[in-house]
Amino acid sequence: MRIDAYEDPGTPDHRGGWRYLAWLVRRQWPRCLAGAVLASVWMVLLAATPYLMARAVDHGLEPGDMGALAGWTGAMVAVGGVNAWLGVMRHRTMTKVRMDANFRTVKVVVGHATRLGAALRGQVGAGEVVTIGVGDVQTISTSLTAVGPGVGAIVAYAAVGGLMLSVSTRLALVVLLGVPVLGLFLGPLMGRLQGREAEYRERQSVLTARIGDLAGGLRVLNGLGGKGLVADAFHRDSGRLREQGYRVGAVTSWIQALGVGLPMLFLALVTWLGARQAAQGHISVGELVSVYGYVVALGWPVAFLIEMGHQLSRGVVAARRVVAFLRLEPAPDEGTREAPAEPSVLHDPASGVRITPGRLTALVTTHPSEATDILDRLARYSPSDATWGDIPLADIPLPQIRTRILLADPEADLFAGPLSAVVGAQATPSRGADSVDVRLRRVGATSHNAPADAEQRPGADETAKLTAALHTAAAEDIVRALPDGLRTPVAAQARDLSGGQRQRIRLARALLTDPEVLLAAEPTSALDAHTEATVADRLKQARQGRTTVLAATSPLLLARADVVHHLVDGKVAATGTHRELLDTEPGYRALVARDDEGAEDTAGAAEGAPAR
């Protein structure tokens, strides 16, 4: 049975960890059934070898019948060959079970993360998602490999018990009662393992999230002199995680030690009892050999039962974490009213901000989080009473809002891949990327027009949009500096680019969508003054007649805004142009006048300066 990594994974049962594991088994029940049958036959034939050996001793070796000895020996060889083939097929089948569970869980988790969309970050940390994707998925898939051998172990255990009854009732009772006794010893340890494992996974997800935060902010921490403090805190937290890992390992080691040691004691007890019965003449020498062989063969089923309990204990902990993630739901979209057909005013009653359509509006505040909250409300990423025209945003279906209003997150993820795909031009073929590189060399400092022959080339419209977006974001130098231009591979989060380059790439990606309403928080905070002035001028020209809202305190951006809202404690304190607010609002002037007098000269020289 082939595994299709792209098939529909189905609807998971997220009512509990055990139910989720059962759902994974049901989704591939023919494969799991085949694994159980193969494992059962394989283990039963392991017990058949001592039976055949006993017959060879009693009917061939002891009476000296060489023909019978050869026959029973040949049967043992044949059974061994068949069993070897069954072992290979069992392992191959259970490997497919593991791979299917792995792919299915990955698809379910990724699909649900995609469905959550922007609500994901607000409900679960990045470390939790990474821990699920890296550790829990693997643990769940590995636990399912115990299903086939576990069923086979139970069948083989019953078969060995039946064979032992034909030899001695007393020995059969000892064998049949031995495994329940093992369960009494190991059961409490399995429960303790689940608790320790769950706590370990929780701490691991927290530490994983901290690693991600450190990787993203290490340069800033180093500049602020806080790297040592954070390193000490991380060292303490990782030490606690290590200690918790030791606790998990201690329980696991006891389970594995008892899983090996107790069956050996069990084997010794049965062998001693069998030897006494043989010495007393109650069983034959061949039957004594078979008893020893049965108990040795029983070691495999017992080991698999213990391993099954161990793996399922860990698997259900991981499954509960996956189930908890699958229970997360995005904010309900109950909108039924149509969005305004024409560009309309966006109004946030909580702050008093009114965004006039077709204009470049700036939000200025001492606390950037206040402006970010306003943008989140205007883009309906958080619940509010914001309106679009006369219609509450909450009453408009979310797809209509997402189609026309774009919030450009300053920390938006940048996936690994060619630069053209990172910007968002996935449909741009390699020749199209080459043409963009050529056009970026030709385009003038203020020109947004495509060459005269652009419409005659396939994909010319997409190429022109990509060229314009990169030009507006002053990102042409990034493309020119890369060895293969737009085809150059970029690392995840564009870590091989500078902070200013990443910021311009994010801005170009937002501009490429050409939204009716563009909301952006600090889109030029990582740029030098010359590049910032260039972006400000080009952004105003490119978005002429379109609604653009910027949360910024840079005078280079504010000077080009049509309307500026000065916010105090999250509410509009004054509205006007940048120059008007400088003249009339001391608080505004103190906040933004960082060499404002030289801003116009800087902006005028910026067009001729290279962007950095």
Side-chain angles (χ1 to χ4, degrees), residues 54 57-58 62 278 283-291:
V57 171
D58 287 341
E62 189 170 318
I283 62 175
S284 67
V285 175
E287 288 175 328
L288 175 62
V289 172
S290 68
V291 167

Side-chain angles (χ1 to χ4, degrees), residues 348-396:
D348 176 38
S351 63
V353 169
R354 297 183 68 86
I355 306 300
T356 305
R359 307 184 76 180
L360 176 59
T361 305
L363 307 180
V364 180
T365 177
T366 305
H367 305 290
S369 60
E370 295 175 351
T372 302
D373 291 342
I374 294 172
L375 296 183
D376 284 343
R377 293 195 291 267
L378 293 177
R380 212 186 114 181
Y381 281 102
S382 59
S384 70
D385 296 325
T387 59
W388 194 6
D390 296 326
I391 306 172
L393 280 174
D395 293 346
I396 301 173

